[in-house]
Amino acid sequence: MPIDSSRLPPLVVVTGGNGFIGSHIVEALVAAGTPVRIVDRSAAWPGAGALPAGVELLVGDLTEPAVARAAVEGAGAICHQAARVGLGVDFGDAPGYVADNDTGTVQLLDALWRSRFRGRFVLAGSMVVYGEGRYRCSRHATVVAGPRLPADLARGQFDPRCPVPACTELLRWETVGEDAPLDPRNVYAATKLHQEHLCHVWGAEAQATVLSLRYHNVYGPRLPRDTPYAGVAALFRSALLAGRPPTVFEDGDQARDFVHVRDVARANLAALAAVDPKPGAYNVASGTPHTVGDLARMLADAIDPALAPVISGRWRLGDVRHIVASAVRAEQELGFRAGISFEDGVRELAADHLHAS
């Protein structure tokens, strides 16, 4: 559904606007004729391009109250993308995640409260708040999958089993709706859920509409190269560009929803422009699942077909087996439907060598 740009606010503040996702949101807003203020720790626009003309840039750290106050001055809406992302290395990363995601968010909300802001607040949420996805047992219907057992993983049995006592049936995945139980399983996930809670508490008291867009696996141009905080698409592409085959954990059949970054940007504009949307969470996803192995094979075919993926069988106890989104609510409430196919998006990512470093 086309977005009515006339309904976009007169000034949108995009925190983290020089980042991977934020920069695409900024470009989409500029293309729609909407004034934008970026708030970012970095002054550098990502990749080889330049900051779009007419965009205001405020360089600073949102954990500092003065920066947060300057960020929201005159704002018509907030698009809060600034966050420390990825799973990190270990629990030693926890203070950084809490500072960036919790403290940065609460300082922003405090500045909005003090300025009596009543506009639209769109939060970059994440599917990591769900933990393991949704599953069905043929005997016991929809069930909550418990932790996978090391003994099962060690013998290559990667799908979770039914948690009902005496039932050992392997479960089949189902799509995850926004009403699914929340089960953050790492520090990053815990902070993303806390961001949602903080924002919704503020929204209720401030009488402002808060929409949390729970992004699923985002990929596309300007994807950062592999770091301990990168996603699987970045890891696979970086290996291929270095002349190494991508290494796939488990059996490669982990189901995910890979959504293109320009579709994510459109979802943010849809959330900003929607007429009286219900406050709360919305999955932002393509609606079409693929496996991790599919991604590795398609990237290898596009970059160097001689570097076939290695299915390693390796596993990590805390990894999620399957998580596939229901994209229905975002379409019904926000008018958003993803438009870029997995095949086209992966080919574009493979060709985006310019931003590989």
Side-chain angles (χ1 to χ4, degrees):
M1 182 182 297
I3 295 166
D4 183 357
S5 59
S6 69
R7 293 195 54 81
L8 291 170
L11 172 62
V12 178
V13 173
V14 182
T15 70
N18 283 346
F20 167 46
I21 296 174
S23 64
H24 286 275
I25 295 170
V26 169
E27 286 183 336
L29 287 166
V30 170
T34 301
V36 177
R37 176 187 297 145
I38 291 174
V39 184
D40 203 297
R41 284 176 174 166
S42 171
W45 184 254
L51 185 72
V55 172
E56 179 187 350
L57 175 60
L58 172 61
V59 179
D61 190 330
L62 280 174
T63 63
E64 298 176 10
V67 173
R69 289 194 298 270
V72 305
E73 185 176 352
I78 306 295
C79 196
H80 185 32
Q81 307 296 308
R84 182 177 296 220
V85 300
L87 303 184
V89 177
D90 54 34
F91 197 82
D93 286 324
Y97 277 104
V98 171
D100 291 347
N101 298 353
D102 291 356
T103 304
T105 297
V106 82
Q107 292 292 1
L108 178 66
L109 296 174
D110 181 65
L112 292 170
W113 176 260
R114 293 175 186 278
S115 69
R116 300 187 179 183
F117 175 85
R118 298 291 183 271
R120 187 76 48 89
F121 189 106
V122 179
L123 172 67
S126 174
M127 46 78 83
V128 295
V129 300
Y130 296 119
E132 191 65 72
R134 184 182 178 96
Y135 291 91
R136 173 171 289 273
C137 171
S138 63
R139 293 172 56 193
H140 300 103
T142 299
V143 295
V144 177
R148 295 185 290 172
L149 302 177
D152 282 344
L153 296 170
R155 61 172 173 264
Q157 177 52 63
F158 300 117
D159 286 316
R161 296 183 182 277
C162 180
V164 175
C167 182
T168 60
E169 181 171 324
L170 298 178
L171 301 177
R172 301 188 306 276
W173 64 261
E174 294 186 325
T175 57
V176 178
E178 291 85 352
D179 60 348
L182 304 180
D183 182 22
R185 296 190 176 191
N186 53 63
V187 172
Y188 169 61
T191 62
K192 294 305 291 182
L193 181 55
H194 196 210
Q195 277 187 315
E196 287 195 9
H197 289 164
L198 289 169
C199 292
H200 290 305
V201 168
W202 164 80
E205 291 202 34
Q207 298 182 342
T209 300
V210 174
L211 307 176
S212 177
L213 304 185
R214 290 176 179 165
Y215 303 157
H216 284 250
N217 294 71
V218 186
Y219 72 101
R222 303 182 197 138
L223 185 71
R225 66 176 301 160
D226 62 311
T227 73
Y229 311 95
V232 68
L235 296 171
F236 290 165
R237 187 189 63 170
S238 292
L240 288 160
L241 293 178
R244 304 189 308 271
T247 299
V248 181
F249 276 29
E250 301 186 11
D251 56 4
D253 289 339
Q254 305 94 310
R256 298 288 189 271
D257 190 303
F258 297 97
V259 59
H260 195 277
V261 66
R262 286 198 300 275
D263 278 330
V264 173
R266 285 200 311 107
N268 276 268
L269 266 66
L272 289 167
V275 179
D276 297 327
K278 295 178 182 176
Y282 293 83
N283 287 327
V284 172
S286 72
T288 304
H290 291 86
T291 69
V292 172
D294 290 338
L295 175 65
R297 285 186 288 271
M298 188 167 291
L299 274 172
D301 287 345
I303 294 174
D304 187 344
L307 298 174
V310 174
I311 307 299
S312 70
R314 293 167 55 195
W315 51 271
R316 294 173 296 198
L317 193 58
D319 281 355
V320 170
R321 177 58 175 173
H322 304 296
I323 181 162
V324 176
S326 168
V328 172
R329 188 180 189 211
E331 182 172 0
Q332 291 179 342
E333 296 289 333
L334 306 180
F336 166 73
R337 179 190 293 179
I340 298 174
S341 73
F342 180 70
E343 293 76 13
D344 288 345
V346 172
R347 281 192 292 268
E348 181 185 16
L349 174 62
D352 189 43
H353 295 182
L354 197 60
H355 306 291
S357 62

